[in-house]
Amino acid sequence: MANPEQNQDGQDKAALPHGVYTRVDFLRHGLPDGHGCLRGHTDFVITETGMMQMEQAVLGLDDIETVISSPLQRCSHFAQSFAEKCRQPLSLNPQWMEMNFGDWDGQSHQSLWDKHGSTLAKYWENPWLGNPHGGESLEAFDTRIAKAWQCLLSEQLGKRLLVVTHAGVMKQLLRLLLELPQNANYLHRIELPYAARYRVTVFTDQQGQHWPQIQWPIQQQF
């Protein structure tokens, strides 16, 4: 539902008599090592190209008050650099890590198809229905991201934030904000390339009700 009191561009924080605005830019990491792998919690480093992609994606974003990042290197390396440049605090928060794929984590897609072809195919048809890799279920991941989002709004209300995270996290948050059904459609139909960025502005009214809106794309994506 659109918030009738929100500024048209939704860009600036405004402390209003009847509520407050919070602005959160979500940034996916750029190109890391581990091409062709199911990265998950495996801590692949960011490449030089990936850093350049992320730097380009945040051009003009010079009013951030706090940087929050997944602790995995493909996110945190850039987040630390950006926070230092902006002279703003950095919080490394494991709630914003990618999904943990258990026994499949860090393996190449080809090796996974070779070893678990039929199981993998069935899983991706609807990953809500099972957890064959023994890691984090999609339901648990969904709950984690929901809690991370609510915690962010509680602790950072009224601020302008940058959250550096992963494609899976950003898709799951979109599912929650848009109240999409628990099936595989949003996973297959939303494309988030390296260094993709979208913005969520949230008006919080006097009763503590949050009214989020998504602005996307912010600028040219890679």
Side-chain angles (χ1 to χ4, degrees):
M1 179 184 298
N3 173 16
E5 296 188 45
Q6 187 166 18
N7 292 336
Q8 185 174 3
D9 60 9
Q11 301 297 304
D12 298 320
K13 177 186 74 175
L16 302 178
H18 302 295
V20 63
Y21 288 101
T22 306
R23 194 192 78 191
V24 191
D25 282 83
F26 288 90
L27 175 67
R28 186 192 178 193
H29 60 77
L31 175 69
D33 282 344
H35 179 71
C37 291
L38 188 61
R39 294 187 182 95
H41 276 204
T42 304
D43 201 9
F44 290 103
V45 299
I46 190 73
T47 64
E48 183 177 345
T49 297
M51 285 290 288
M52 292 175 61
Q53 291 172 333
M54 298 173 83
E55 289 166 1
Q56 184 68 28
V58 298
L59 285 177
L61 195 62
D62 53 7
D63 60 350
I64 293 297
E65 296 173 289
T66 298
V67 181
I68 299 169
S69 177
S70 160
L72 295 175
Q73 294 180 78
R74 56 191 185 269
C75 295
S76 63
H77 186 70
F78 173 81
Q80 181 175 354
S81 173
F82 184 81
E84 290 174 354
K85 181 180 179 181
C86 296
R87 298 184 179 180
Q88 297 297 343
L90 168 65
S91 173
L92 299 180
N93 189 336
Q95 286 186 305
W96 295 106
M97 290 173 66
E98 185 58 279
M99 185 171 170
N100 183 346
F101 288 99
D103 295 337
W104 297 354
D105 213 279
Q107 295 192 43
S108 71
H109 295 293
Q110 187 59 56
S111 67
L112 288 172
W113 279 112
D114 291 343
K115 297 176 185 176
H116 312 286
S118 60
T119 301
L120 194 64
K122 184 177 180 180
Y123 174 72
W124 284 120
E125 284 178 6
N126 193 343
W128 291 92
L129 299 180
N131 184 24
H133 49 69
E136 192 172 21
S137 68
L138 187 53
E139 183 175 358
F141 181 55
D142 190 69
T143 299
R144 169 160 66 88
I145 302 309
K147 289 180 178 178
W149 176 241
Q150 292 304 317
C151 185
L152 181 148
L153 291 178
S154 175
E155 296 178 354
Q156 306 290 345
L157 189 68
K159 292 185 177 181
R160 297 181 295 268
L161 310 169
L162 175 66
V163 178
V164 187
T165 186
H166 308 266
V169 171
M170 292 170 68
K171 288 184 181 184
Q172 212 64 28
L173 183 62
L174 287 173
R175 190 203 80 78
L176 292 162
L177 294 176
L178 298 174
E179 300 181 6
L180 300 175
Q182 292 185 354
N183 57 40
N185 290 342
Y186 70 97
L187 294 170
H188 300 318
R189 296 176 184 177
I190 298 174
E191 173 65 17
L192 290 168
Y194 291 128
R197 175 179 150 212
Y198 65 70
R199 173 173 293 175
V200 182
T201 55
V202 184
F203 176 77
T204 304
D205 62 28
Q206 283 184 310
Q207 288 72 44
Q209 178 71 37
H210 300 305
W211 301 90
Q213 287 189 335
I214 301 166
Q215 287 90 43
W216 182 33
I218 296 300
Q219 61 183 49
Q220 180 64 46
Q221 307 290 301
F222 292 95

